[in-house]
Amino acid sequence: MNITHSSARKLGLVSCQACHLLSRTPKTRSHEAAYCPRCGEELHPRKPNSLLRTWALVIAAMVFYVPANVLPMTITSALGSVSADTIMSGVIYFMQHGSWEIALVIFTASVFVPFLKFGILIYLLLSVQFKSIKRPKDRTRLYRFTEAIGRWSMLDIYVVTILVALVKLGFLADIEAGPAAIYFAAVVVTTMIAAESFDPRLIWDVVEDKS
C-alpha cells in the first residue's frame, strides 16, 4: 500500500498555535492579520521572522557567554581573605581536590551544553538558509534535543544558589554569587528563547519545495 504525505501548507491549511485547530489559509491583504475562527489567536503559517529572531538571540547569547566565563561566578570570604572563582577555576578547584563528579557536572552544564546549543542552532539556521535537503529527520531530532537540554543548563545557577544559602548559615565563611551568574542566566534564558523562536517546519519546507 502506497502512503502519500501532504503537509498542511501544501493543502492550503494553517494550524493555530494556541488551540491547534486546522483551518483554511485565509485570503487577506498583505497588511491584514488573520485570526483563528475558534480561539481568536492570530494565525501564521510559520513563526514570523523565525530565522532573523533566532540569529539575533543566538548572537546575543554568545555575547553574554563571554562575561559569564571571564567574570567571577562566586566570591568567597573566609577568615579575612577573599577569593573570586570563575566557572573554569571552580572546575579546576574541584578536580584538584578529587571531586571529579562535581567538576564534571559543572563543566557539562556550564561549558559543554551552551557550546553544544550554539553549535546545533547555528547548524540548523545555516542548513535552512542554504536550503539543504540532507537528513531533515536527523535535523528535526537535533532541534528536539536542543529544546530538551535547555532547562538543564540552569544547573550551575542552582548549584551557586544552594552554596550561597548553605554558607550564609556559617559565621566564619561567606559566599556570594558573582556578576557572572547574571550573564550565565542570560545565556540560558536567551538560548531557550532562541530554540523556541526557531521553526523546525522550515527544515521540511525546503525538502518539500525541492521535491
Side-chain angles (χ1 to χ4, degrees):
M1 182 173 65
N2 292 326
I3 300 175
T4 58
H5 301 279
S6 291
S7 67
R9 187 183 72 132
K10 208 169 186 178
L11 295 173
L13 301 173
V14 60
S15 174
C16 174
Q17 292 189 5
C19 70
H20 300 289
L21 175 72
L22 272 179
S23 53
R24 288 280 170 197
T25 305
K27 293 179 180 177
T28 58
R29 295 176 184 174
S30 58
H31 62 280
E32 290 180 341
Y35 297 93
C36 175
R38 182 161 70 178
C39 70
E41 178 77 5
E42 191 170 342
L43 294 175
H44 299 284
R46 295 293 180 264
K47 293 178 182 176
N49 302 316
S50 172
L51 294 182
L52 194 62
R53 285 195 295 131
T54 309
W55 267 121
L57 289 163
V58 168
I59 291 171
M62 292 174 74
V63 171
F64 289 140
Y65 189 70
V66 176
N69 280 273
V70 173
L71 297 175
M73 177 65 84
T74 57
I75 300 171
T76 309
S77 304
L79 301 175
S81 64
V82 178
S83 62
D85 287 295
T86 62
I87 291 174
M88 280 310 298
S89 68
V91 171
I92 294 169
Y93 171 84
F94 283 114
M95 287 172 63
Q96 289 175 339
H97 288 76
S99 300
W100 284 85
E101 300 84 0
I102 299 175
L104 183 63
V105 168
I106 295 175
F107 179 81
T108 303
S110 306
V111 179
F112 179 70
V113 170
F115 259 115
L116 187 64
K117 289 173 69 177
F118 292 150
I120 292 175
L121 286 171
I122 290 172
Y123 169 66
L124 292 175
L125 287 164
L126 289 175
S127 71
V128 171
Q129 286 196 312
F130 285 100
K131 301 187 182 303
S132 171
I133 58 172
K134 292 180 181 177
R135 308 177 73 172
K137 193 177 289 185
D138 290 336
R139 283 186 280 151
T140 305
R141 290 195 185 106
L142 275 178
Y143 172 73
R144 291 181 189 144
F145 175 72
T146 306
E147 275 196 318
I149 62 174
R151 69 200 72 171
W152 296 105
S153 302
M154 287 296 279
L155 194 60
D156 199 50
I157 298 297
Y158 298 149
V159 170
V160 172
T161 306
I162 292 170
L163 276 175
V164 170
L166 290 175
V167 181
K168 281 285 185 187
L169 298 176
F171 296 100
L172 299 178
D174 189 18
I175 184 169
E176 294 180 356
I182 298 172
Y183 288 103
F184 189 78
V187 171
V188 175
V189 172
T190 310
T191 51
M192 288 175 72
I193 299 173
E196 184 63 28
S197 299
F198 182 77
D199 195 334
R201 292 173 295 185
L202 296 174
I203 296 171
W204 295 96
D205 286 349
V206 176
V207 177
E208 193 175 272
D209 291 341
K210 289 191 175 181
S211 63

